[in-house]
Amino acid sequence: MHFNNVSEPVIRRMPKYYRQLKILHAEGVDKVSSATLAQLMGFSASQIRQDFNCFGGFGQQGYGYSVELLLNEITNILALNKPYDAVIVGAGKIGHALANYNGFEEEKIYVKALFDIDPKIIGTVQNQKPIYDVRELESYIKEHEIALGIITVNRNSAQEVADRMVNAGIKAIWNFAPIDVVAKVPVENAHLSDDLYVLTYRMNND
Amino acid sequence: MHFNNVSEPVIRRMPKYYRQLKILHAEGVDKVSSATLAQLMGFSASQIRQDFNCFGGFGQQGYGYSVELLLNEITNILALNKPYDAVIVGAGKIGHALANYNGFEEEKIYVKALFDIDPKIIGTVQNQKPIYDVRELESYIKEHEIALGIITVNRNSAQEVADRMVNAGIKAIWNFAPIDVVAKVPVENAHLSDDLYVLTYRMNND
């Protein structure tokens, strides 16, 4: 499957459907109506039907959706039906937290190695994942056909790391440095603090 | 200042303006037009003017905005002009990464303590922050008038921790457990993996 021209807000809602359907599936629920999904997720039922229509609809809405079929469809849409190998550049606290996060392997995303510049940790192993010298980054990405590059270095080095990843053939970048990196491959710049600022706003305005 | 009825997408863009203006301010830029901001941020100039109008406008657009004044206004809107004390419940890898993240103190958000159930780490200190028994959570929140509760426990315990925080008087919750917690105070449920799923989508559809 390949989809074009799906709008950004719709794409960003798909992971939320995916999570909700995984929960329903784990609970053994067979069928779910757009009305029930709407109630569970805080979207309107018509929003949900519109979103699904961007990908062809997923079956007869009057009888409700099959949870398993819907989960399979969305798994395919999000391209989570195949494995991805990843590397983390920057073996600091955030790098370690991500290297230890079990949720990735549930989705068949495998962190194969970390890279750093610190000679004290190069050559050590973190949660069964080796930490290599960042000078080996390009050759490792090429040799192991790594798809996903995760950046957890500081603000000043993030763009350079992104450039090196792309030159070595990485397919997508997930950046945790507090600066937006740009690349010709898909990039997600995580800005954890943005959520925090929404919270401080709401604490004072809700 | 107190704002009502500002729409969710506008609120979510305010942290992005805040970050961009901090960068411009640090670079010594005095004035910025909505056109330049638009170019830097990938929004349209009219979007930016509309967003700012939700909060009263911020001065004459023909002459450009004063970066310093605009930054001050948005700092006030996001209520980042005052300090907040925070606690982290769950002193695992994510808890440690957050306890060590320096970006919080830049915004006057002070993580005062961590809480856990593991006797092996209770009583130890992490980056100058004590780790206490989670049984002391309520009394600590009350005694120290903690505003922000950060949850980094597992999926099964997250809602209970949120309930306990709210009962003890916490004002907002930032949840990193992979489940949506609900509370009568403002909550942000961080779902890091959602960004990752957008990446896997884009890798296959862009």
Side-chain angles (χ1 to χ4, degrees):
Chain A
M1 276 186 298
H2 190 91
F3 303 99
N4 284 310
N5 299 321
V6 178
S7 78
E8 175 79 15
V10 176
I11 294 171
R12 299 226 165 253
R13 280 192 292 273
M14 297 313 285
K16 300 183 198 300
Y17 293 122
Y18 178 71
R19 277 193 280 113
Q20 184 63 61
L21 287 162
K22 278 213 300 188
I23 292 169
L24 290 174
H25 191 250
E27 288 171 349
V29 177
D30 275 341
K31 289 264 190 184
V32 66
S33 64
S34 51
T36 304
L37 259 188
Q39 205 170 13
L40 287 168
M41 303 189 59
F43 307 155
S44 73
S46 77
Q47 171 84 83
I48 291 174
R49 289 192 298 267
Q50 274 178 46
D51 287 351
F52 291 177
N53 280 338
C54 297
F55 302 97
F58 312 139
Q60 212 158 358
Q61 167 250 329
Y63 296 88
Y65 300 102
S66 154
V67 169
E68 185 164 5
L69 287 181
L70 193 51
L71 178 57
N72 283 342
E73 294 274 10
I74 295 179
T75 303
N76 292 340
I77 288 168
L78 293 175
L80 291 169
N81 51 349
K82 53 186 176 182
Y84 300 92
D85 285 341
V87 293
I88 296 175
V89 178
K93 295 275 175 185
I94 298 178
H96 278 181
L98 290 170
N100 282 278
Y101 177 57
N102 294 322
F104 293 152
E105 304 211 345
E106 273 179 38
E107 305 299 347
K108 302 199 286 294
I109 289 160
Y110 301 106
V111 174
K112 307 296 278 190
L114 293 86
F115 292 83
D116 207 285
I117 56 169
D118 181 355
K120 287 196 295 294
I121 59 171
I122 290 169
T124 65
V125 171
Q126 171 67 26
N127 191 27
Q128 299 167 301
K129 297 167 179 86
I131 303 179
Y132 295 124
D133 190 320
V134 75
R135 284 178 290 193
E136 299 167 41
L137 179 64
E138 284 90 340
S139 59
Y140 189 94
I141 290 172
K142 284 176 194 164
E143 189 181 336
H144 295 84
E145 298 184 1
I146 301 296
L148 176 67
I150 301 174
I151 300 178
T152 58
V153 299
N154 65 31
R155 177 192 300 263
N156 296 327
S157 310
Q159 184 62 53
E160 186 202 324
V161 169
D163 293 343
R164 289 177 56 184
M165 286 175 165
V166 172
N167 286 338
I170 217 117
K171 299 288 182 285
I173 290 174
W174 197 13
N175 170 44
F176 287 82
I179 187 173
D180 285 353
V181 306
V182 291
K184 66 178 184 186
V185 300
V187 176
E188 285 287 310
N189 291 294
H191 287 292
L192 290 184
S193 296
D194 285 10
D195 294 347
L196 183 59
Y197 305 158
V198 169
L199 267 187
T200 55
Y201 174 87
R202 286 197 201 288
M203 264 196 261
N204 290 273
N205 288 286
D206 275 11
Chain B
M1 277 185 298
H2 190 93
F3 303 99
N4 284 311
N5 300 321
V6 178
S7 78
E8 176 79 15
V10 176
I11 294 171
R12 300 226 164 251
R13 281 192 292 272
M14 297 313 287
K16 300 182 196 303
Y17 293 121
Y18 178 72
R19 278 192 279 112
Q20 184 63 60
L21 288 162
K22 280 213 298 188
I23 292 169
L24 292 173
H25 191 248
E27 288 171 347
V29 177
D30 274 342
K31 288 266 191 183
V32 66
S33 65
S34 52
T36 305
L37 259 187
Q39 205 168 14
L40 287 168
M41 303 190 58
F43 306 154
S44 73
S46 78
Q47 171 84 84
I48 291 175
R49 289 192 299 268
Q50 274 177 45
D51 286 352
F52 290 178
N53 279 337
C54 296
F55 301 97
F58 313 140
Q60 211 158 4
Q61 168 250 330
Y63 296 87
Y65 299 101
S66 154
V67 170
E68 186 165 4
L69 287 181
L70 193 50
L71 178 57
N72 284 341
E73 293 273 11
I74 294 179
T75 303
N76 292 340
I77 287 168
L78 293 174
L80 291 169
N81 51 349
K82 54 185 175 184
Y84 299 91
D85 286 341
V87 293
I88 296 174
V89 177
K93 295 276 176 186
I94 299 178
H96 278 180
L98 291 170
N100 282 277
Y101 177 58
N102 294 322
F104 293 152
E105 303 211 346
E106 274 178 36
E107 306 300 347
K108 304 199 285 296
I109 289 158
Y110 301 106
V111 175
K112 308 296 278 189
L114 294 86
F115 293 83
D116 207 283
I117 54 169
D118 181 354
K120 287 197 294 293
I121 59 171
I122 290 169
T124 65
V125 172
Q126 172 66 27
N127 191 28
Q128 299 167 301
K129 295 167 182 87
I131 303 179
Y132 296 125
D133 190 318
V134 75
R135 285 177 290 192
E136 298 167 41
L137 178 63
E138 285 89 340
S139 60
Y140 189 93
I141 290 172
K142 284 177 193 163
E143 189 181 339
H144 295 84
E145 298 183 2
I146 301 297
L148 177 67
I150 301 173
I151 299 177
T152 58
V153 298
N154 64 32
R155 178 194 298 263
N156 296 328
S157 311
Q159 184 62 53
E160 186 203 326
V161 169
D163 293 342
R164 290 176 56 183
M165 286 176 164
V166 172
N167 287 337
I170 217 113
K171 299 288 183 285
I173 289 174
W174 198 13
N175 170 43
F176 287 82
I179 186 173
D180 285 352
V181 305
V182 291
K184 64 178 187 186
V185 301
V187 176
E188 285 287 310
N189 290 296
H191 288 292
L192 291 183
S193 296
D194 285 10
D195 294 348
L196 182 59
Y197 305 157
V198 170
L199 269 186
T200 54
Y201 174 87
R202 287 197 199 287
M203 265 196 260
N204 289 275
N205 289 286
D206 275 10

